[in-house]
Amino acid sequence: SVVLSDKRHHRVVKTRQMLMAIAAVELQWTLMKVGNFFGRDHTTVVHAKKEISNRIELGDGGAWFEACARACSLAFEETYKTKISNLF
């Protein structure tokens, strides 16, 4: 999946940040677990959570959040289910 890759295109990075924040907040995964899942350091997860929080606080998003929701859904279907089942 492109979200789990090393790609640093703006859309990929923002989508990855959204997925990291969701995993940390909604799934209550530790920062280390989220980082390991995405192949990143836990400090990257901290940064991702701050970025998403800032966007929400500023009311900035609109179409971006819709695009992230679609991308998250596709990423979940493509990769996430398999990776989660492999963790347990």
Side-chain angles (χ1 to χ4, degrees), residues 34-86:
V34 175
N36 287 339
F37 181 85
F38 286 93
R40 304 295 191 280
D41 186 81
H42 74 281
T43 58
T44 303
V45 181
V46 171
H47 176 72
K49 287 176 63 179
K50 285 180 184 177
E51 286 292 309
I52 298 304
S53 178
N54 288 342
R55 281 193 177 264
I56 291 169
E57 285 178 17
L58 293 173
D60 184 24
W64 181 82
F65 279 115
E66 287 180 30
C68 278
R70 284 192 300 278
C72 289
S73 177
L74 291 173
F76 181 84
E77 290 299 322
E78 182 180 328
T79 303
Y80 203 52
K81 283 183 181 178
T82 304
K83 282 240 180 203
I84 286 177
S85 65
N86 290 336

Side-chain angles (χ1 to χ4, degrees), residues 20-33:
M20 287 181 173
I22 289 169
V25 174
E26 295 299 323
L27 299 177
Q28 297 181 346
W29 284 5
T30 64
L31 298 176
M32 283 294 252
K33 188 171 185 176

